[in-house]
Every structure is written in structure tokens, then in C-alpha cells.
Amino acid sequence: MEQQLQAVSGAAAQQSPEQQADAEAGQAYFDRAMAADSRIEPRDWMPDAYRRTLVRQISQHAHSEIIGMQPEANWITRAPSLKRKAILMAKVQDEAGHGLYLYSAAETLGTSRDEMMGQLVAGKARYSSIFNYPTVTWADMGAIGWMVDGAAICNQVPLCRASFGPYGRAMVRVCKEESFHQRQGFEILLELANGTPAQKQMAQDAVNRWYAPSLMMFGPPDDDSPNSKQSMAWNIKRFSNDELRSRFVGMMAEQVKVLGLSLPDAEIRFNEETKKWEHGALDWDEFKEVLAGRGPCNAQRMERRREAHEGGAWVREAATAYAAKMAAKNEVAA
Amino acid sequence: MSEASATRITPGNALRPEDIALAVQHGTARPSEDVGEYALRLGDDALILAQRLGHWISRAPELEEDVALGNIALDQLGHARSFLTYAGAAWGKTEDELAYFRREPEFRSSHLFEQPNGDFAVTIVRQFIVSYYQYELYRRLTASADATLAAIAAKAVKEVDYHRDHSAQWVLRLALGTEESRRRLLAGFRLLWPYVGELFEDDDLTARLGDAAVVPSALRADFDQLTGEVLTEAEIEIPQVPAALGGGRQGRHSEHLGFILAEMQVLAREHPGADW
């Protein structure tokens, strides 16, 4: 399958006249699909760059789900009530499930999960930078749910309409679960905000720490986001980074009032002229530092993933060997 | 949205800990202290195992196992919450008061459940023993004279059946997979088999409870037969190791429980009386 896909989209220089004709017909079909805002499916012709962009984006998204399990798993064993422990376990488990759907969606483009996981543990793939921040208190479980998952939803709801079918469909399911997670996060903060003074302080401190990193989840400002334009032309990305960020700030600004907490940004306001929410300046130098691997937990997150992957190799080898033995046995029996 | 949606939330008729708390509140479920003590044993086993398994999430050898071990942990936690909610009613305590504010000697878990995760093979061996034991236990407890214990068991037995299947499949894969997996699995059996005996020990409590409880020793024959079938297929012999002296049901625990509780209880104890 992988070879077939590569053959179809192979370099033009090595193409026979027949292949070139196919590619031209494919390009025409693809262009019509983009113009009609309809879907591209795995067996359809697609430009190499479109395929590469999607593999990169979907695998980064899958890696983010997998690495994102760690900061929350950090509190599973210490959750302060059994009900919260159950909810948190279910949530982190959902993230593993999201990783699975997304790797599967990327596999339809001809890159195997093994290969993507190999890139991740080799440090050659990116994941959402926010997971390189530590979860130091229980309130971080609330702030991650409310703000980080909230930002993820703003980003991901438009992706349900992404032009590549398997990605869009995976996102429909992911978004349903994410919105559930966001409500759970909000509920954690609401309980803390209405609790003892120490609990309320814990909640405010978490909101303060996660605010700027969650705004930066939308990516660099529009004038510094080189890939956005092409992704929008391909109907993968529907709204610009700044547009989504502004919507998110508006949501947070309203919801924080219900919590009885505040956002650590005195410059949040609704601009009546542009009809957009505005916020204070963000520290993009820090964003770049964390992205470049110099965040508080980059090394720790990667090491944990490597340990799980490499330490589990003998288990996967055993499962493969057993499956092969059973297949051979069945063949003899048949 | 279509009824067939895979993400549709279906609470169904499953018994939830909140339902038990409500029944306790309305006085329709009222355990004696003996029943409470018995429910504590089952609840503590499940709680400690959930705590152990929860540690695997984000560390499993394959994403499918992050999901599977997480699921088993969640099932166990659900059973623990139901048993502890019911147990607490004997002394006017909530599930959280029992989980977070009891000290080591007040726990009733048996030693097997407290054993560290070890490598994946050790975790699978522990789960294999636990699932076959719990299946036989809950299957019989569905006929308990105590309606609440019977109802909790009826929900739990269906879930534990899947845990049996999961662990038996892995016992076969690891036993017959590679030399390394077989070596690790056998080491797991040698390490954990000494704790099997404690699960099947009778005492005064189970005798006094009569039809309300299940006599532990009565489970042994079926446990041996069913685990034996899997072990035969896996070409494994039960290790000849001496049984360890238990005592968990009387509050005498392994060295591990103190650490498990220290981690589990730390936050709740920093904020006594707080709601979460």
C-alpha cells in the first residue's frame, strides 16, 4: 500500500508519459475538490506536499495526545477523591485513544505508526509545546482541562471540516471527548474556587500559570506563520492563528467570571470596531525557547516516552512472534 | 445524531457508587458491621490494584495497553468505590473517608494486590491471578443474601470476565512468544505465586456471614482448574514455591502498602474536610 501510494505521487522526473497524464488528471480532480470544498480520501490522487503536510500535522497531533498524557497521569495516583481519580483516569485513557485514531488517520497516507513513533522517540518530531510545562498542583488538572483542552477545541472544531476525510472524521470524535474534558476541568476549578482559601489560591495560581502557554497553543502571530496560507488554501486550516486566539480569549474572559477567578492579563478587551477580543503581549521568546527544547520538562517527557517505547520492545516482539507461530500453526492445520 | 454513534454516552442500568450512597441515605441498604468489614476487604483489594494499575497509564509497552490497563484500573476503581461506599455505611463514613483517612493497619487488602507492578510480565501475572480469583468470587457473590453485595458483584463479574480474557491472552503471548518474554513471565509467576494462598483463606468473619459472603476456600478448586487450563496451553508448570504468610485481612500488610497510601492520601490529608 505504502509503495503504491508513493508510486502514484512519485517524482515527475521519473514518470512515464502515462503516469504524467494520470498525475495531470489527478491534479485536476484535486483542484476541483479544493474549489468545491469536498473531501480527499486516501486512495485519491493528492500532491506530495499536501500528503507531507498532513502526515506532519496529524502525527504531531497524535504525538501531542501521547506526550500530553504525562502531565495529567502525574496526578492519577494522588487525585484527592475517588470520583476525581476515576474521571482523571478515564480522561488520560481517552487521550491514548485519540492518539490511536490519529496515528491510524496518518497511516492512511502511507506512513506507519512505528515510523511515526520512531521519529518521536528519536526527537525528530514535534508535539504541542504546552506539555513541556509541569503540573505542580491538583488545580493544574482543572486548568489543563479548562484552558488547554479549551484551546485545543477552538483549534480542532474547524478541523472536523478538514479536506482530508480520515483526519476530519477522527476530529469529530476527538472533539466530542475534548468538550467533555473541558467541562470536567471547569468543574474541578469551580469546586476549588468555591472551596477553602487554600483551594481557591491553588486554582488562581494554576490559571495564572497556564494562561499564556494556552494562548500560545494557537501558534505564532499571523505575520510570523509561514505555513498557514498554504494550509488554508488546501482547506485543512480554516481560520488564522490570531483569529482563533481571539475567539478563545473571549470565551475565557466570560467563563472566568463564573469561576470567580481572574485571568492574569489586564489588557483583555473586546474591540467594538473590529468585533474581536484583544489581549496583552505574549512572550514569544519563551515560546521559541520551549519549542527549541528548552522548556521545563522537554527532556523528562521525551525520556518517559523513550522508556515506555524501548522498555516495551520485548513485549511487542513477543506478541509478534506469538502471532507468527499461531499463523503458522493454523496454516498447517488448514 | 444517529443512535449508532460510537461516542454516544450510555449509562445503561449499571450500578453506580452514587446509587449505593443514595440507598444508604434512604435506609434501604444498611450493612451490619460484619458485612461492612467484608465489603472493606473486597473494596480495598480493588482500590489498591486500581492504584497500582493507574501507574501504567502513559508507560505501557503499546498504546493499546495504555488503554487496556487503564480500562481495567477504571473497572477496579469502580468496584472499589461501590464496595467502600457500602462498607462505610456500617460506620457512617464515606468512600473517601475510608480511602484517604484510614491508616495502614485499618486496610484489609491482601498482599497480592499490594505487590509492585514490576515489568509488564509481573503485572500480567498479578492480573491473571486476580482476575481468575475475582471472577469466581463475584460469580458466587451474585447469589449473596445481601442484596447490595449481590448487585455490586453482578456488575463486577461481567467486567472481570474481560480482565480474565485480557490476562490469559497475554500469558499465552508471553509464554510462547520469545525466550525473553517466557523468562520474564516465569520469573513473574515465581515472584507472585507465594501470595495466592492468602486469597483462599477462611476465617471467622466469612463463617459468621453465612449466605451473605463467599467462603474463600470454596473458590480454590475452580480457580486451579481454570488457571491450570491456560497454564497447560502456555506450557507452564505452577512454580513450587512456599506460600507467604499473609495477614492482610487482619491489617498486617506488605512493606509496600505504606508507600501506596502515602502517595494516594497525601493531597487529601493536606486539606482535611475539603471538597474536591
Side-chain angles (χ1 to χ4, degrees):
Chain A
M1 162 109 162
E2 192 172 333
Q3 281 174 344
Q4 251 176 7
L5 288 168
Q6 278 172 353
V8 171
S9 56
Q14 295 160 8
Q15 284 176 344
S16 67
E18 271 176 1
Q19 284 172 322
Q20 213 163 341
D22 281 351
E24 277 165 22
Q27 180 73 54
Y29 173 83
F30 181 85
D31 292 343
R32 280 197 304 278
M34 290 301 119
D37 200 359
S38 63
R39 284 214 146 134
I40 294 295
E41 295 298 337
R43 286 166 190 276
D44 294 341
W45 188 94
M46 61 186 88
D48 280 345
Y50 176 83
R51 182 187 302 276
R52 275 197 308 274
T53 297
L54 279 166
V55 169
R56 183 174 47 88
Q57 180 169 340
I58 301 172
S59 64
Q60 276 180 14
H61 190 163
H63 299 331
S64 303
E65 297 282 356
I66 300 310
I67 297 291
M69 293 168 72
Q70 292 182 28
E72 293 183 281
N74 185 34
W75 282 90
I76 287 177
T77 54
R78 292 175 294 168
S81 78
L82 297 186
K83 183 180 164 193
R84 292 281 171 219
K85 189 191 289 288
I87 292 171
L88 183 60
M89 259 189 201
K91 182 188 171 185
V92 181
Q93 193 202 24
D94 280 351
E95 283 156 9
H98 296 174
L100 280 171
Y101 326 141
L102 287 162
Y103 284 126
S104 301
E107 283 191 306
T108 67
L109 291 159
T111 306
S112 72
R113 194 207 310 181
D114 271 355
E115 195 179 324
M116 291 181 271
M117 193 59 87
Q119 288 164 352
L120 176 63
V121 297
K124 288 179 186 158
R126 280 187 172 162
Y127 55 86
S128 183
S129 222
I130 197 155
F131 300 120
N132 291 315
Y133 289 89
T135 53
V136 290
T137 72
W138 169 252
D140 291 5
M141 298 304 98
I144 287 185
W146 179 49
M147 307 177 95
V148 177
D149 293 341
I153 292 166
C154 286
N155 252 330
Q156 291 169 7
V157 166
L159 288 174
C160 296
R161 296 189 288 124
S163 55
F164 186 58
Y167 191 29
R169 289 187 289 271
M171 292 318 300
V172 170
R173 184 160 178 172
V174 169
C175 283
K176 281 183 192 172
E177 293 180 354
E178 289 295 350
S179 66
F180 201 58
H181 297 168
Q182 196 201 12
R183 290 205 295 275
Q184 288 163 355
F186 185 83
E187 194 190 83
I188 288 176
L189 290 177
L190 190 63
E191 193 80 47
L192 293 174
N194 291 306
T196 65
Q199 284 178 304
K200 185 166 186 177
Q201 172 57 38
M202 195 194 287
Q204 183 62 60
D205 166 66
V207 169
N208 292 350
R209 281 182 290 110
W210 290 96
Y211 170 75
S214 61
L215 259 59
M216 291 194 262
M217 280 175 71
F218 295 95
D222 292 349
D223 50 20
D224 189 22
S225 180
N227 298 326
S228 286
K229 204 175 156 202
Q230 179 63 73
S231 281
M232 288 173 92
W234 278 333
N235 298 339
I236 300 171
K237 194 174 173 63
R238 301 285 178 167
F239 302 100
S240 80
N241 295 351
D242 287 335
E243 168 68 29
L244 290 168
R245 190 167 14 247
S246 158
R247 286 188 196 179
F248 175 68
V249 167
M251 273 171 46
M252 294 290 106
E254 291 302 318
Q255 292 175 7
V256 78
K257 292 179 199 162
V258 181
L259 290 173
L261 300 172
S262 60
L263 296 174
D265 182 346
E267 293 171 54
I268 293 176
R269 67 179 195 110
F270 185 71
N271 185 326
E272 290 292 347
E273 274 173 37
T274 61
K275 301 289 178 202
K276 287 192 194 308
W277 284 87
E278 295 174 351
H279 55 84
L282 293 165
D283 182 356
W284 290 105
D285 289 339
E286 178 178 311
F287 178 80
K288 283 172 187 158
E289 284 291 293
V290 179
L291 201 63
R294 290 184 285 274
C297 301
N298 298 56
Q300 178 191 329
R301 302 286 186 242
M302 287 304 297
E303 182 57 20
R304 164 86 75 81
R305 180 82 313 254
R306 233 187 324 266
E307 260 173 33
H309 188 71
E310 290 168 9
W314 69 270
V315 177
R316 298 190 298 276
E317 284 159 16
T320 307
Y322 176 74
K325 282 180 195 171
M326 289 302 109
K329 208 170 158 185
N330 288 341
E331 214 163 279
V332 171
Chain B
M1 194 197 314
S2 125
E3 280 290 292
S5 163
T7 55
R8 193 161 55 97
I9 296 160
T10 48
N13 301 317
L15 181 75
R16 301 168 311 145
E18 290 80 6
D19 301 327
I20 297 170
L22 216 58
V24 166
Q25 213 181 335
H26 293 157
T28 49
R30 200 177 308 155
S32 64
E33 283 202 15
D34 274 355
V35 169
E37 179 74 17
Y38 184 66
L40 268 188
R41 294 179 177 186
L42 308 187
D44 285 347
D45 279 352
L47 174 61
I48 299 303
L49 183 60
Q51 185 73 6
R52 283 297 196 204
L53 289 172
H55 188 76
W56 271 108
I57 304 174
S58 77
R59 293 177 172 88
E62 188 74 291
L63 289 177
E64 283 80 353
E65 287 306 306
D66 279 301
V67 175
L69 294 173
N71 241 335
I72 296 172
L74 268 170
D75 287 344
Q76 293 285 335
L77 184 55
H79 308 160
R81 293 187 60 205
S82 291
F83 282 125
L84 293 182
T85 299
Y86 189 46
W91 302 283
K93 288 184 188 297
T94 64
E95 52 170 332
D96 286 336
E97 284 168 333
L98 288 177
Y100 292 96
F101 293 93
R102 270 183 305 156
R103 299 170 59 235
E104 254 178 280
E106 296 168 292
F107 272 76
R108 293 291 176 261
S109 43
S110 58
H111 289 212
L112 176 68
F113 290 81
E114 299 166 10
Q115 296 307 305
N117 286 340
D119 64 10
F120 186 73
V122 171
T123 289
I124 288 300
V125 171
R126 187 182 60 200
Q127 201 58 47
F128 177 70
I129 300 169
V130 163
S131 308
Y132 278 80
Y133 158 72
Q134 285 183 329
Y135 183 80
E136 293 307 317
L137 170 64
Y138 293 150
R139 186 165 71 82
R140 287 166 176 79
L141 197 62
T142 56
S144 169
D146 185 290
T148 307
L149 290 180
I152 300 171
K155 176 176 192 286
V157 71
K158 291 181 203 146
E159 295 172 350
V160 169
D161 197 14
Y162 285 108
H163 307 173
R164 279 201 316 180
D165 186 37
H166 173 263
S167 64
Q169 284 191 44
W170 272 113
V171 163
L172 292 173
R173 283 188 199 110
L174 298 182
L176 306 173
T178 63
E179 265 178 48
E180 182 181 9
S181 67
R182 184 169 180 84
R183 178 180 58 72
R184 288 177 185 253
L185 185 75
L186 294 177
F189 273 104
R190 276 195 303 278
L191 186 68
L192 295 180
W193 207 260
Y195 305 105
V196 171
E198 186 189 5
L199 304 174
F200 301 99
E201 281 172 15
D202 301 336
D203 66 357
D204 290 349
L205 178 73
T206 48
R208 278 201 307 277
L209 281 168
D211 291 347
V214 173
V215 178
S217 61
L219 309 175
R220 186 71 201 240
D222 283 346
F223 171 87
D224 284 342
Q225 196 202 321
L226 293 171
T227 52
E229 285 169 12
V230 179
L231 294 179
T232 302
E233 196 181 337
E235 298 163 21
I236 290 177
E237 283 181 25
I238 289 170
Q240 297 301 311
V241 286
L245 193 64
R249 303 301 188 208
Q250 285 74 42
R252 295 189 304 276
H253 293 283
S254 66
E255 287 181 344
H256 312 295
L257 185 64
F259 292 94
I260 297 173
L261 298 187
E263 186 174 7
M264 183 173 78
Q265 297 178 334
V266 60
L267 179 58
R269 286 186 176 228
E270 269 176 40
H271 303 264
D275 288 323
W276 300 94

